[in-house]
Amino acid sequence: MNFKKRIATFLMISWLLIPAMSLAGEHPSLIMTKAGVEKIRAELGTVPLFDATLALVKAEVDAEIALGIDTPVPKDFSGGYTHQRHKQNFLVMQKAGALFQILEDEKYAHYVRDMLFQYEAMYKNLPVHPQTRSYARGKLFWQNLNDSNWLVYTSQAYDCIYDWLSEEERRKLEDNLFRPFADYISVESPQFFNRVHNHSTWGNAAVGLIGLVMGDDELVERALYGLQDDGLEVGAKDNDGGFIKVEGQKVGFLANIDEPFSPDGYYTEGPYYQRYAMYPFLIFALGLNNVKPEAEIFKHKNGVLLKGVDALLNLSDADGEFFPLNDGQKGMSYYSRELVTAVDIAYHVGGQDPRLLSIAEEQGQVLLDDAGFSVAAAIRDGKAEPFEKRSINLSDGPDGKQGGVAILRYGDEDLTLVYKYAAQGLSHGHYDKLSFSLFEKGDEVLQDYGLARFVNIEQKGGGNYLKENTTWAKQTIAHNTITQNETSHFEGKYEVGSEHHSELQFYDDSNSDVQVVSAIEKSAYPGTLMRRTMAVIKNQSFEKPFVLDIFKLKSNKKNQYDLPFYFMGQVLQVNFEYDVPALLRALGKENGYQHLYVEGKGKPATNDTKFSWMGGNRFYTLTSATNTSDELYFTRIGANDPEFNLRRDAALMIRRKDSKGTVFASVVEAHGSYSPVSEFAVNSKSNIATLNVIYDDDNYTAVAIEDLQGDKSVFIVSNANTSATQQHQVEIETRKHEWTGPFHYFTMEQ
Amino acid sequence: MNFKKRIATFLMISWLLIPAMSLAGEHPSLIMTKAGVEKIRAELGTVPLFDATLALVKAEVDAEIALGIDTPVPKDFSGGYTHQRHKQNFLVMQKAGALFQILEDEKYAHYVRDMLFQYEAMYKNLPVHPQTRSYARGKLFWQNLNDSNWLVYTSQAYDCIYDWLSEEERRKLEDNLFRPFADYISVESPQFFNRVHNHSTWGNAAVGLIGLVMGDDELVERALYGLQDDGLEVGAKDNDGGFIKVEGQKVGFLANIDEPFSPDGYYTEGPYYQRYAMYPFLIFALGLNNVKPEAEIFKHKNGVLLKGVDALLNLSDADGEFFPLNDGQKGMSYYSRELVTAVDIAYHVGGQDPRLLSIAEEQGQVLLDDAGFSVAAAIRDGKAEPFEKRSINLSDGPDGKQGGVAILRYGDEDLTLVYKYAAQGLSHGHYDKLSFSLFEKGDEVLQDYGLARFVNIEQKGGGNYLKENTTWAKQTIAHNTITQNETSHFEGKYEVGSEHHSELQFYDDSNSDVQVVSAIEKSAYPGTLMRRTMAVIKNQSFEKPFVLDIFKLKSNKKNQYDLPFYFMGQVLQVNFEYDVPALLRALGKENGYQHLYVEGKGKPATNDTKFSWMGGNRFYTLTSATNTSDELYFTRIGANDPEFNLRRDAALMIRRKDSKGTVFASVVEAHGSYSPVSEFAVNSKSNIATLNVIYDDDNYTAVAIEDLQGDKSVFIVSNANTSATQQHQVEIETRKHEWTGPFHYFTMEQ
């Protein structure tokens, strides 16, 4: 069969006008357009990043073609051969389709066609996948989620060879493969398709994309608005514990934009899943934008899809790795294929932000499509500008009123505080109200554990979530926040947690030397009000910035409060006595406590408990205002973990018993460094002499920090009125202080 | 005072003739020569690496000059202020001296002079250092070792400003500071000066260098040959447990070359201390070479000092970090200042090996002296060639007959096996006969623990050796070798260990796909013969090379044998059942066992025990031929470690009880990789189906490996005659095998 060249006259129309035109009926039209392809072909060899990516992808696809096509009978979980092979297949088909368009070499079209027909032959009689763990089993994969991945990628491949196939071939593929496939993951799997969840986003996008290619408006409508009558009962749950149907909730692709994205572009499941969902969001949106520009999808909800890309880039550390909030696998970064997609599309359709080009340069690759070409050409033309991450406050919730995540950065990400005061985050959320994590450059100083899963590593529970994700990673004690009475927030009940969220009190990054965020949580423990104010402060007496943490509790009864600090590194020194047990036993029996060994237990020796550690050849010190009745624990993760699913990381935990109202006030200093090559230890000690809560009532809490030079600084936070314009006046230790706004930080005269 | 320019006519003499000339009485003459300085000044600004180093050093010294001179009253251990300040002082003085010579700016001479006179004023009445831990206390520092460091560096500074000072100034410095200083660390500290030990090397060099500068031949003789009558008693020990006086042993600088260096340039204390000692060895040798070329010091013992530099570079991983054999701090590398010195001097006086230039390029700096200039100029002239590390066998012992260390490398350091069958290694030696460690690129796969010390970090025991260095790091169970009956080699007795060494059986790296080393140890456990043969094999059925480990034991009584594998990473999968205890308790009471928690205990389920782990995003599998009566332990370091001095690293340990003769045969496969960004797990499983010891007697041991493709390979090692020319013949499982040489590896026909 010959390749039919059809260069229509509209190809002469200016590049800039393309996005506004409907390409309905044209192929390709999803991620590539005829006009775009012409431009790519014309400039091949002159666009270094595109050319380099093309060479790499060509080598990869050529190797796969040489290997031959395999579409094994589905059998395995993630990580197993049949799973990996089918996954590899759709990734390679998508690339082969693009290569066919760009290089006009029919071997790529043949490859896609032949593989599609193997799937066509197999799919007709394919039963549901034999693995039964999923609430929505797929056919090629153990869950419909992965089947949807397949269709999202395969739709793009089909689009690329659509015109090249005969009508008969298309009819056969559409009747026997694509339409049944789309129906299976939608009408036959309403519990999967009709939700607000990243799973459904994939399902919606898959159905919508194949609908766009086939010109099937019914499928596109189904994708955008979901199934009208799904027959689902309210309250049913999936195998991750997430709700399937929520009373009155809209469904479909648009609802999946409206609900989980805040107006700031924060996705309620957290950055790891935002990264995962961005691909179907943006690919389907791009196709829709090409074929049905009248939908103005990129303007939906004030352009939240593009804001989401910016938010996601900001949710990464200095190495580009995403903060592992909620269920997040550490190491996932903006170097992932999903973020290459996101950055390229955001640049292409989102106003050519030149800062995105520097990220694309770091990624070292672009999409082999119109968007990727735009990016590569702009980089070639020297348009890239640095993407400087600054402090940012991202609201959570569809209307931005369900808490959020604040990221306070000092300098060039020299110190980055991630403070989470968000909503539950759907089924991948953790019970971690008012928790935080801390980074110096790209290194974790105080960690968020992330998920308990080895994604796609078959030996570890099929590569799926491990039970320790529920028993440990989601529990409150696994986080750097308060656990009351050894019970997780909302008693670890998803139904309850999903009804509540923390509330921002104030956020102020206007002074880079004193950046502050404060939030409260009223519902995690009924009857207890938690208020945590965190500041990143650069005081000239200190070498590096430090974090001030004021965690105030007020309850209607006496409780036990546990506040752990999951430090990364090795203990250097403490200023308190402690006993080390001869036998290591678990700290508790449930709610995550069963996974913590007690390596040491002590009591504060003074009012300032000090703990220094070394991590990544840098020094850190926690100084905390403590009572002599507090208990101090060295804990280590790993108890009741028979399969070694958990990392053996450590924490220092402060326990305060029999307290109604109390304040945990702490400073975490980063200081100095060590070189194992020069063997010089620089500034290895804390600069803090004393830290005291010098005032605390319903209106104000004040903390005084005296450094080794004898200088004293005071931080006063308002607990009652946190408006930026409110004037305050309070007398502390016989001195009167006046200021405007929710907090006041000043250095005392000696 | 004006700078006296004296350009003698001999400066016109060709550069190349300089090394053969005596510079006695000339200054500078230690590391710089008048001719060298002239050349440097003439070419300044045209030698990029030298110019860059000069700019850096100038900035550093200028900053120190701006800070002002401080020579505090000595008080602290390593890591404390007075220690660090005096250390910084001598480092900066040495640099300031060089800057004065190169830049002819008298401010540097003033700085050195002023600091020297502050020391002169202080030293006269300075008591012995108040810290009492050392067997040889210094005055400026807690041990004479550091005082000697001071004099080694300060001698160079004095040499640089010698001519610039008045005779009166020189007299005052020499009478009140240098001569008393040299006498204190030698005649007044014979227990320090008159040993074969890196301490004495520093002391000898210090006395020798100041003797060369002052033109005092008596001091130079004292340095070279030690004290004639030291009054020491044979058998006394230092605070590290090392012998001070050994019957009949020669002392002094030359003896310190003769004794600890093997003819191959391996230094018996191990690479960490070799690195440390190389500085005084080479600096004094260079000065001696300049002032007394007739001594032909660089030809001493067949040029062993220069061979030592080559050996040391080969004792590093792909990142340039030294293998942490014996007491070695991890992270120390050939980027250290000592190796900059070693590489530059070795290039300058050792025949201009162009491979050294590529190391110097990586180091990114050179010495500010004649040697550094040679290197920088050669790099500028494009002479650098790659330093490709290959497999190497380094003998130990003064005559090269006390065992050794073999390093088997595959590819571009893709897999590196470090096999230690050496002598005790003086007081920094570990009880680790026939132990090994394994690296993939620069990452540890199976670790050698290294030392238990945080060098110069004051919070950790003053930065000195921690008691866990003795109770854990030196013990046999801390290493990847056999511990018999829970007792360390030689019962952990230094006196006994020092009398013995392992013996090489054969070493063969002639075939890069089958590299083998074999050694025996007869004395670690009297009555037990240990024979370990290790091979790095690349079989075409395997993705990466693997390590074959055949550890054969033969004893005159029944023993318990423990063989741990200290894997780096997280457990993925095992093929045996095990119990995890509710309480973690120590594995034993002494000899290092008290520091190991038992995290799991099981029994082999089959004859092939398999254990997979993931480390550094790569996969590894240990397959070991086991008996059903063996016990398998998951252990973790950290028990009885009240100050958290030890890392919480893990091991899988095989225990075999009630055995006289037995073979532990294992394969360690490196395979595949994981990316947390793409989330693809590639080749995450072992390729071995079965591993069996198919033959074992006094003459031969044979191991068969069957892979998943059904291919079988066999490795036969000769236990009786290991000559390279010996012909062998043995019948195994009805098949007759014939070959020549100590081992035979072949793939069976199916």
Side-chain angles (χ1 to χ4, degrees), chain B residues 277-293:
Chain B
M278 281 317 273
Y279 188 83
F281 274 125
L282 290 170
I283 287 289
F284 182 41
L286 186 63
L288 206 58
N289 197 48
N290 283 333
V291 182
K292 297 183 181 295

Side-chain angles (χ1 to χ4, degrees), chain A residues 272 329 455 578 642 674 679, chain B residues 272 455 460 578 642 674 679 685:
Chain A
Y272 179 76
Q329 175 158 284
V455 181
Y578 60 93
Y674 181 72
E679 298 189 331
Chain B
Y272 179 75
V455 181
K460 286 293 201 189
Y578 60 92
Y674 181 72
E679 297 188 333
K685 294 183 181 173

Side-chain angles (χ1 to χ4, degrees), chain A residues 641-677:
Chain A
D641 175 29
E643 299 191 332
F644 300 94
N645 289 336
L646 299 174
R647 301 187 301 271
R648 265 49 178 169
D649 298 335
L652 181 80
M653 188 182 92
I654 304 172
R655 171 168 285 181
R656 191 165 296 163
K657 292 176 168 172
D658 297 324
S659 295
K660 285 176 83 169
T662 188
V663 173
F664 289 83
S666 310
V667 163
V668 180
E669 286 169 272
H671 52 93
S673 62
Y674 181 72
S675 162
V677 175

Side-chain angles (χ1 to χ4, degrees), chain A residues 425-621:
Chain A
L426 303 181
S427 61
H428 292 294
H430 287 195
Y431 302 97
D432 62 351
K433 298 292 156 188
L434 310 188
S435 183
F436 80 105
S437 50
L438 186 65
F439 296 78
E440 183 167 359
K441 292 289 184 185
D443 298 327
E444 293 176 303
V445 176
L446 291 161
Q447 73 164 327
D448 185 315
Y449 188 88
L451 48 62
R453 178 183 178 187
F454 294 73
V455 181
N456 291 333
I457 298 180
E458 195 187 11
Q459 295 95 320
K460 285 294 200 189
N464 301 314
Y465 280 98
L466 299 164
K467 71 176 169 44
E468 288 79 9
N469 197 61
T470 303
T471 61
W472 166 252
K474 284 190 169 187
Q475 299 297 326
T476 305
I477 195 61
H479 300 84
N480 301 310
T481 187
I482 290 279
T483 297
Q484 176 179 300
N485 302 330
E486 300 188 34
T487 306
S488 285
H489 297 163
F490 310 109
E491 296 181 14
K493 291 180 180 164
Y494 174 66
E495 297 81 348
V496 183
S498 298
E499 289 173 5
H500 300 283
H501 56 82
S502 304
E503 292 168 36
L504 181 67
Q505 296 298 289
F506 63 91
Y507 170 87
D508 187 347
D509 65 9
S510 59
N511 173 2
S512 64
D513 284 347
V514 187
Q515 305 181 55
V516 191
V517 56
S518 182
I520 59 168
E521 171 57 48
K522 295 184 286 197
S523 314
Y525 298 115
T528 301
L529 172 66
M530 304 199 288
R531 176 187 301 273
R532 191 175 211 174
T533 304
M534 302 200 78
V536 171
I537 294 174
K538 179 66 184 75
N539 180 308
Q540 61 178 14
S541 300
F542 289 72
E543 175 203 3
K544 300 184 183 183
F546 61 76
V547 171
L548 172 62
D549 173 21
I550 304 175
F551 204 135
K552 178 176 170 69
L553 294 131
K554 187 180 177 187
S555 184
N556 56 13
K557 63 178 171 54
K558 286 190 173 178
N559 299 298
Q560 170 185 293
Y561 300 116
D562 287 342
L563 179 58
F565 293 87
Y566 286 91
F567 64 95
M568 299 299 274
Q570 197 158 359
V571 175
L572 272 194
Q573 200 174 36
V574 299
N575 72 342
F576 56 87
E577 297 286 319
Y578 60 93
D579 296 319
V580 291
L583 302 177
L584 291 199
R585 65 187 74 229
L587 179 59
K589 294 208 180 313
E590 55 187 2
N591 305 323
Y593 283 73
Q594 74 275 26
H595 291 299
L596 287 174
Y597 284 118
V598 178
E599 287 197 325
K601 182 180 172 186
K603 293 252 174 216
T606 72
N607 290 335
D608 312 286
T609 288
K610 290 186 92 77
F611 161 55
S612 296
W613 73 97
M614 181 167 76
N617 288 323
R618 299 193 190 102
F619 299 104
Y620 303 96
T621 300

Side-chain angles (χ1 to χ4, degrees), chain A residues 50-65:
Chain A
F50 194 88
D51 296 335
T53 306
L54 182 65
L56 266 178
V57 169
K58 184 175 182 309
E60 181 192 342
V61 174
D62 287 349
E64 286 283 348
I65 290 175

Side-chain angles (χ1 to χ4, degrees), chain B residues 301-313:
Chain B
K301 196 174 174 173
N302 288 316
V304 75
L305 284 179
L306 298 173
K307 286 182 187 168
V309 177
D310 197 70
L312 198 41
L313 292 173

